């Protein structure tokens, strides 16, 4: 299927960003979260260098609480595309049941910062999009991080035309977001046009879930803590985003194919991240996390 | 009309830019329930605070102002919109310039109670300078002036007068109320005297064609060498069209080669077109580096360029300071050798101010340490512009838009110093039979 002019323009812009960053920085890497945006980003990064292989490593920060299907998918993709996959987990091993917001700080932010510092990576590609969340709408494509990997929204660099200022002081780094101008709908339309493989959890199937605070959570393994009286029930569900399974709500859906997912998207009355608990710890939660170095 | 339209909103603080976009999304059914719920409580008049949708930073919400560009995505009919909501404060001009450098259309907000003010002129000029040719002037807060036709007509006439100084600009002036939603998605019953387009109609109708340099422009971003047999020059084809068999010219070597294969986004194709991310293979070895250009013929390269400069950094320009310069994937060094004048935004005249401070706009001569190929900015944005970076702070301090090469490398015009010019004048006066050519303009 050929791309619409809109998707073709987004693709070209993303490839320009990827090639520019890969050429400018000494030690780039891609942050790989196994979700649909990561899958699109990986596809674009592969295209930017074809017929050469991806010239830098791909990093998965593993909290230990991803869906089992995500781990299987990750390893299969790495093998299929000849990726230099690095998997890193914080040895502190906090869990999402007992540790609340601290869990994300330690298992995601701290683990990411430690690995980036250890590897002296000066550029990390991420699949974040500006339409996901209000503070991300404010972020540059090339987003500067200080020596402590913190984002300072008031000190963002002007970003003009296609000229990237890649100058960094010691220990500073850049987060690069080639999907900045893509929307959720663009991502799905591109996945369909390019036949990009996804974790099956994005498509509706009967899965064991419990309802909690009005949201549906999948009981992915025996570590899920059931509250008194909770009994997992089989429901036809799918996920709009994928994260740690105890923190990522499913939606009831009959959309089993890409076409059905796209059709359903047009009818949903809620934004994509309404099922993501970590955005909601407080107002401006994402902004604070990013200022501390998250993603 | 399926092409994507990139636009920005500009206007002074409190002109209602964020409200306009928020309300526009609401009126056109593009807000989700949870986004509406997150806006906060309605005010005493029952109006939702739509600005909260865009002012996503804590400092913005607490101060009720926009500090940095917010990017939003929407649709107008079948057309995709990418909207830069840019700050109104003069101190954040750099963010407005950032937005404008990516956009094809500007929505200029004017407060109906105040009419055209300094910021209207400033923003209009900046957008025009940055190459925007489509303008939608939204005369906002019409509800606050009783939807008065005469008030609108007076502002409209004022703006058309202003626009006489904006050659090539296509202008539509609309009376709206962002707060009440008048004339955003459809024409409002509150202004029966208005028979023009709604904001939605104007955005559907706008043209996205852009002036383009005549020729092939491929600045090389990276060289792909997966094996001994493959050497591909990858980058964005900013202008023109290329197919196997075409002859390409290499700047700076001046050598030519024939194209053997062309690739678009990792896939071999029959031809590549402007706007695509491409890879080109050539039929012979030329020493090509990142930042070099592949074109269809000689380009203008020079060490001295005249053009417009917008100063973006809080720290002003330091006379004689060497800055790092980046143009189309190529770094070099240079300095502002002459400040030829600065823009007075009140009357759009050029004054003689000597220093560039934050948000200053002016005409300069730029002296580079190596020759750089550039196009004229108004014909080609990406290949007619460059940025200045302070080597001490790593900040992007200024944006430069080329108007003219002072010394042209493609002929025999070396850079000539003032002393050489004086010597040349002396020789021409006293030894006319030597027939020395006049270099006073070089």
């Amino acid at each position: 299927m050929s791309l619409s002019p809109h998707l073709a323009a987004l693709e070209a812009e993303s490839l320009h960003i990827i090639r520019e960053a890969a050429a400018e920085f000494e030690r780039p890497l891609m942050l790989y979260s196994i979700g649909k945006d990561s899958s699109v980003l990986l596809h674009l990064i592969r295209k930017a260098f074809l017929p050469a292989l991806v010239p830098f490593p791909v990093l998965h920060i593993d909290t230990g609480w991803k869906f089992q299907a995500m781990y299987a998918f990750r390893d299969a993709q790495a093998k299929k595309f000849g990726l230099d996959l690095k998997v890193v987990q914080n040895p502190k091993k906090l869990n999402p049941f007992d540790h609340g917001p601290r869990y994300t700080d330690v298992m995601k932010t701290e683990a990411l910062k430690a690995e980036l510092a250890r590897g002296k990576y000066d550029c990390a590609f991420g699949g974040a999009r500006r339409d996901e969340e209000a503070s991300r709408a404010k972020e540059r494509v090339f987003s500067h991080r200080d020596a402590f990997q913190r984002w300072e929204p008031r000190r963002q660099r002007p970003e003009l035309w296609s000229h990237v200022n890649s100058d960094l002081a010691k220990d500073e780094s850049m987060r690069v977001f080639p999907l900045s101008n893509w929307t959720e709908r663009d991502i799905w339309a591109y996945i369909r046009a390019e036949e990009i493989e996804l974790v099956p959890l994005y498509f509706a199937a009967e899965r064991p879930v419990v309802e909690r605070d009005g949201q549906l959570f999948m009981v992915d393994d025996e570590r899920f803590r059931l509250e008194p009286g909770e009994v997992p029930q089989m429901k036809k569900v799918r996920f709009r985003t994928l994260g740690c399974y105890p923190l990522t709500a499913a939606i009831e859906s009959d959309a089993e194919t890409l076409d059905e997912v796209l059709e359903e998207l047009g009818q949903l009355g809620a934004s994509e991240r309404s099922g993501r608990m970590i955005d909601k710890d407080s107002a401006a939660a994402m902004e604070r996390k990013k200022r501390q170095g998250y993603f | 009309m399926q092409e994507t339209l990139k636009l920005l909103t500009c206007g002074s603080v409190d002109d209602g830019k964020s409200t306009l976009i928020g309300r526009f999304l609401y009126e056109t059914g593009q807000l989700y329930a949870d986004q509406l719920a997150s806006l906060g409580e309605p005010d005493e008049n029952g109006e939702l605070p739509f600005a909260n949708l865009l002012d996503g930073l804590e400092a913005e919400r607490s101060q009720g102002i926009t500090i940095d560009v917010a990017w939003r995505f929407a649709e107008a009919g079948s057309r995709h919109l990418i909207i830069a909501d840019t700050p109104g404060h003069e101190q954040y001009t750099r963010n407005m310039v950032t937005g404008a450098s990516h956009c094809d259309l500007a929505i200029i907000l004017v407060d109906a109670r105040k009419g055209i003010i300094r910021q209207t002129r400033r923003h209009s000029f900046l957008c025009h300078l940055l190459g925007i040719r489509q303008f939608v002037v939204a005369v906002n807060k019409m509800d606050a002036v009783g939807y008065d036709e005469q008030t609108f007509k007076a502002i409209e006439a004022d703006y058309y007068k202003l626009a006489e100084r904006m050659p090539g600009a296509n202008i539509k002036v609309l009376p709206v109320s962002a707060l009440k939603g008048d004339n955003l998605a459809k024409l409002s019953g509150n202004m029966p005297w208005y028979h023009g387009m709604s904001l939605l109609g104007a955005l559907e109708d706008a043209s996205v064609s852009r002036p383009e340099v005549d020729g092939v422009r491929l600045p090389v971003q990276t060289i792909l060498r997966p094996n001994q047999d493959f050497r591909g020059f990858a980058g964005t084809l900013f202008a023109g069209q290329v197919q196997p068999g075409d002859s390409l010219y290499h700047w700076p070597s001046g050598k030519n080669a024939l194209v053997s294969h062309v690739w678009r986004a990792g896939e071999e194709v029959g031809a590549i077109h402007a706007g695509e991310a491409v890879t080109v293979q050539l039929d012979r070895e030329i020493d090509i580096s990142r930042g070099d250009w592949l074109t269809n013929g000689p380009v203008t390269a020079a060490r001295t360029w005249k053009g417009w400069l917008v100063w973006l950094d809080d720290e002003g320009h330091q006379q004689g300071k060497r800055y790092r310069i980046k143009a189309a994937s190529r770094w070099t060094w240079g300095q502002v050798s002459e400040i030829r004048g600065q823009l007075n935004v009140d009357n759009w005249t050029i004054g003689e101010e000597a220093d560039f401070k934050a948000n200053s706009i002016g005409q300069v001569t730029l002296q580079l340490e190596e020759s750089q190929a550039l196009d004229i900015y108004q014909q080609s944005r990406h290949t007619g512009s460059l940025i200045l970076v302070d080597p001490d702070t790593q900040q992007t301090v200024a944006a430069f838009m080329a108007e003219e090469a002072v010394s042209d490398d493609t002929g025999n015009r070396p850079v000539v110093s003032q002393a050489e010019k004086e010597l040349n004048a002396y020789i021409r006066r006293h030894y006319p039979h030597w027939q020395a050519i006049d270099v006073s303009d070089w």
Side-chain angles (χ1 to χ4, degrees), chain A residues 155-175:
Chain A
R155 290 283 296 159
Q156 298 202 81
R157 292 177 175 182
E159 199 160 78
L160 296 117
W161 305 294
S162 51
H163 313 313
V164 176
N165 171 8
S166 56
D167 262 9
L168 297 171
K170 191 175 182 303
D171 295 332
E172 291 181 343
S173 62
M174 202 72 88
R175 302 286 162 87

Short mmCIF file of all heavy atoms in Angstrom, two decimals, chain A residues 155-175:
data_model
loop_
_atom_site.label_atom_id
_atom_site.label_comp_id
_atom_site.label_asym_id
_atom_site.label_seq_id
_atom_site.Cartn_x
_atom_site.Cartn_y
_atom_site.Cartn_z
N ARG A 155 14.44 26.40 29.34
CA ARG A 155 15.73 26.59 28.68
C ARG A 155 15.83 25.78 27.39
O ARG A 155 16.90 25.39 26.98
CB ARG A 155 16.86 26.15 29.64
CG ARG A 155 17.06 27.06 30.82
CD ARG A 155 17.79 28.33 30.46
NE ARG A 155 19.16 28.06 30.02
CZ ARG A 155 19.87 28.91 29.28
NH1 ARG A 155 19.34 30.04 28.89
NH2 ARG A 155 21.10 28.61 28.93
N GLN A 156 14.70 25.53 26.74
CA GLN A 156 14.74 24.75 25.51
C GLN A 156 15.40 25.56 24.40
O GLN A 156 15.20 26.76 24.29
CB GLN A 156 13.33 24.35 25.09
CG GLN A 156 12.66 23.47 26.12
CD GLN A 156 11.53 22.67 25.50
OE1 GLN A 156 11.74 21.64 24.89
NE2 GLN A 156 10.31 23.15 25.66
N ARG A 157 16.12 24.85 23.56
CA ARG A 157 16.80 25.53 22.45
C ARG A 157 15.82 25.87 21.34
O ARG A 157 14.95 25.08 21.05
CB ARG A 157 17.88 24.62 21.89
CG ARG A 157 19.01 24.39 22.84
CD ARG A 157 20.01 23.42 22.26
NE ARG A 157 21.14 23.32 23.18
CZ ARG A 157 22.22 22.59 22.96
NH1 ARG A 157 22.30 21.89 21.85
NH2 ARG A 157 23.20 22.55 23.83
N PRO A 158 16.02 27.02 20.72
CA PRO A 158 15.21 27.29 19.53
C PRO A 158 15.51 26.18 18.51
O PRO A 158 16.65 25.73 18.42
CB PRO A 158 15.73 28.63 19.02
CG PRO A 158 16.57 29.19 20.11
CD PRO A 158 17.03 28.05 20.96
N GLU A 159 14.50 25.78 17.78
CA GLU A 159 14.70 24.68 16.82
C GLU A 159 14.20 25.16 15.47
O GLU A 159 13.00 25.19 15.24
CB GLU A 159 13.94 23.47 17.30
CG GLU A 159 14.38 22.17 16.72
CD GLU A 159 13.92 21.01 17.57
OE1 GLU A 159 12.74 20.63 17.49
OE2 GLU A 159 14.73 20.48 18.34
N LEU A 160 15.12 25.58 14.62
CA LEU A 160 14.71 26.23 13.38
C LEU A 160 14.98 25.37 12.17
O LEU A 160 16.03 24.74 12.07
CB LEU A 160 15.48 27.54 13.24
CG LEU A 160 15.12 28.53 14.35
CD1 LEU A 160 16.32 28.84 15.19
CD2 LEU A 160 14.53 29.78 13.77
N TRP A 161 14.04 25.40 11.22
CA TRP A 161 14.18 24.67 9.97
C TRP A 161 14.65 23.24 10.27
O TRP A 161 14.13 22.62 11.19
CB TRP A 161 15.16 25.42 9.04
CG TRP A 161 14.74 26.83 8.81
CD1 TRP A 161 13.62 27.25 8.15
CD2 TRP A 161 15.39 28.03 9.28
NE1 TRP A 161 13.56 28.62 8.18
CE2 TRP A 161 14.62 29.12 8.85
CE3 TRP A 161 16.56 28.27 10.01
CZ2 TRP A 161 14.98 30.44 9.12
CZ3 TRP A 161 16.90 29.57 10.28
CH2 TRP A 161 16.12 30.64 9.83
N SER A 162 15.63 22.79 9.50
CA SER A 162 16.10 21.42 9.72
C SER A 162 17.51 21.42 10.30
O SER A 162 18.19 20.41 10.26
CB SER A 162 16.07 20.66 8.39
OG SER A 162 16.74 21.42 7.40
N HIS A 163 17.95 22.57 10.83
CA HIS A 163 19.32 22.66 11.33
C HIS A 163 19.38 22.29 12.80
O HIS A 163 18.83 23.00 13.64
CB HIS A 163 19.87 24.07 11.15
CG HIS A 163 19.63 24.65 9.80
ND1 HIS A 163 19.87 23.94 8.64
CD2 HIS A 163 19.14 25.84 9.40
CE1 HIS A 163 19.57 24.70 7.60
NE2 HIS A 163 19.10 25.85 8.03
N VAL A 164 20.05 21.22 13.10
CA VAL A 164 20.09 20.72 14.47
C VAL A 164 21.35 21.22 15.17
O VAL A 164 22.46 21.02 14.68
CB VAL A 164 20.10 19.18 14.46
CG1 VAL A 164 20.23 18.67 15.88
CG2 VAL A 164 18.85 18.67 13.80
N ASN A 165 21.15 21.84 16.31
CA ASN A 165 22.30 22.21 17.15
C ASN A 165 22.57 21.05 18.09
O ASN A 165 21.85 20.83 19.06
CB ASN A 165 21.97 23.48 17.93
CG ASN A 165 23.02 23.80 18.98
OD1 ASN A 165 24.07 23.16 19.03
ND2 ASN A 165 22.72 24.78 19.82
N SER A 166 23.65 20.32 17.81
CA SER A 166 23.97 19.13 18.60
C SER A 166 25.07 19.39 19.61
O SER A 166 25.57 18.46 20.22
CB SER A 166 24.41 18.02 17.65
OG SER A 166 25.51 18.48 16.88
N ASP A 167 25.44 20.65 19.79
CA ASP A 167 26.52 20.96 20.73
C ASP A 167 26.14 20.64 22.16
O ASP A 167 25.08 21.05 22.63
CB ASP A 167 26.86 22.46 20.64
CG ASP A 167 28.06 22.71 19.75
OD1 ASP A 167 28.49 21.77 19.08
OD2 ASP A 167 28.55 23.85 19.73
N LEU A 168 27.02 19.93 22.84
CA LEU A 168 26.74 19.55 24.24
C LEU A 168 27.95 19.86 25.10
O LEU A 168 29.09 19.70 24.66
CB LEU A 168 26.46 18.04 24.33
CG LEU A 168 25.22 17.52 23.59
CD1 LEU A 168 25.22 16.00 23.62
CD2 LEU A 168 23.95 18.06 24.23
N ALA A 169 27.70 20.25 26.35
CA ALA A 169 28.78 20.36 27.31
C ALA A 169 29.01 18.96 27.91
O ALA A 169 28.25 18.03 27.65
CB ALA A 169 28.43 21.37 28.40
N LYS A 170 30.02 18.87 28.75
CA LYS A 170 30.38 17.57 29.33
C LYS A 170 29.19 16.92 30.05
O LYS A 170 28.49 17.58 30.81
CB LYS A 170 31.52 17.80 30.34
CG LYS A 170 32.17 16.52 30.83
CD LYS A 170 33.37 16.87 31.72
CE LYS A 170 34.11 15.64 32.19
NZ LYS A 170 33.29 14.67 32.91
N ASP A 171 28.99 15.67 29.78
CA ASP A 171 27.95 14.83 30.40
C ASP A 171 26.52 15.21 30.02
O ASP A 171 25.58 14.57 30.46
CB ASP A 171 28.07 14.82 31.93
CG ASP A 171 29.36 14.16 32.40
OD1 ASP A 171 29.86 13.29 31.67
OD2 ASP A 171 29.86 14.53 33.48
N GLU A 172 26.35 16.24 29.19
CA GLU A 172 25.00 16.54 28.73
C GLU A 172 24.62 15.56 27.63
O GLU A 172 25.48 14.90 27.04
CB GLU A 172 24.93 17.97 28.20
CG GLU A 172 25.08 19.02 29.29
CD GLU A 172 24.98 20.44 28.76
OE1 GLU A 172 25.12 20.64 27.52
OE2 GLU A 172 24.79 21.35 29.57
N SER A 173 23.33 15.50 27.33
CA SER A 173 22.90 14.58 26.28
C SER A 173 21.64 15.12 25.61
O SER A 173 21.09 16.14 26.02
CB SER A 173 22.63 13.19 26.86
OG SER A 173 21.59 13.25 27.82
N MET A 174 21.21 14.42 24.59
CA MET A 174 20.02 14.83 23.85
C MET A 174 19.05 13.65 23.78
O MET A 174 19.47 12.53 23.54
CB MET A 174 20.44 15.24 22.43
CG MET A 174 19.48 16.15 21.73
SD MET A 174 19.48 17.83 22.40
CE MET A 174 20.79 18.61 21.44
N ARG A 175 17.79 13.94 24.02
CA ARG A 175 16.75 12.97 23.71
C ARG A 175 16.18 13.40 22.36
O ARG A 175 15.91 14.58 22.16
CB ARG A 175 15.64 12.96 24.76
CG ARG A 175 16.11 12.67 26.17
CD ARG A 175 16.47 11.21 26.39
NE ARG A 175 17.29 11.06 27.59
CZ ARG A 175 16.81 10.90 28.82
NH1 ARG A 175 15.51 10.84 29.00
NH2 ARG A 175 17.61 10.80 29.86
#
